[in-house]
Amino acid sequence: MAGRPREFDREAALEAAMVLFWRKGYASASMNDLCDAMGVRSPSLYAAFESKEALYLAAIEHYVLTQGQPVWDRLADGATARAGIGNLLVAAAETLPKSRTAPAGCMAVLGAVSDEWPPTIARMVKKLRLDMLGNLRARLEAAIANGELPAATDIDALSRFYLSVFQGMAIQAKDGATPAELKGAVAAAMAAWPGEGER
């Protein structure tokens, strides 16, 4: 016997859950809040997502695909690693401030600062942040391989520095920083590129 059809659009519901979790955090978003935001009744929510924890994991995966990936894809843009990192940070400066459709900041960064997560979520989001670091490291390693950066460059320190800039921008956006203000921080960060002061 076939199951009853879903009473709601799963993608639209997931988008609504993502925005609520992003705005309120995991701990502060109640099941009633989630049902209201998603336009579903509690049984339908549990039938589709099993638990609040599973819903959050699905919501943050949705965030990565719809919000994070377009920004981090910019890291590959540009003929040089410096251009790619600059493009990434400028894209972040344009998207991290609050918009009509999204809260300010980065869901993966802000939650790590202020939210109370179950261990499963904490591990998953930590992996996301480590993936960001790994992406920066890979771009910088390529810059050494092609001669853009000296072989002695401290890749670990440089990748952590630019990830720290990204994470700091997410927090500043949450505090109301504008795209123009964040782009000023980007310009300062890119001025710290190895050898930049010698040009």
Side-chain angles (χ1 to χ4, degrees), residues 156-169:
D156 184 64
L158 199 57
S159 55
R160 287 182 186 281
F161 169 70
Y162 284 109
L163 181 59
S164 296
V165 172
F166 174 85
Q167 292 171 331
M169 288 168 60

Side-chain angles (χ1 to χ4, degrees), residues 78-162:
T80 63
R82 186 188 186 286
I85 290 173
N87 289 335
L88 161 70
L89 294 178
V90 167
E94 291 170 347
T95 59
L96 288 171
K98 185 176 181 179
S99 69
R100 285 181 297 120
T101 56
C106 168
M107 189 175 172
V109 171
L110 295 175
V113 175
S114 62
D115 210 351
E116 297 173 18
W117 283 327
T120 308
I121 294 173
R123 283 193 298 272
M124 188 252 205
V125 180
K126 180 179 180 181
K127 182 185 179 302
L128 289 177
R129 293 193 305 273
L130 290 175
D131 287 347
M132 294 176 189
L133 184 63
N135 291 337
L136 286 166
R137 194 189 313 265
R139 191 71 161 107
L140 292 168
E141 285 169 349
I144 287 180
N146 66 27
E148 180 190 348
L149 287 172
T153 302
D154 187 338
I155 293 297
D156 184 64
L158 199 57
S159 55
R160 287 182 186 281
F161 169 70
Y162 284 109

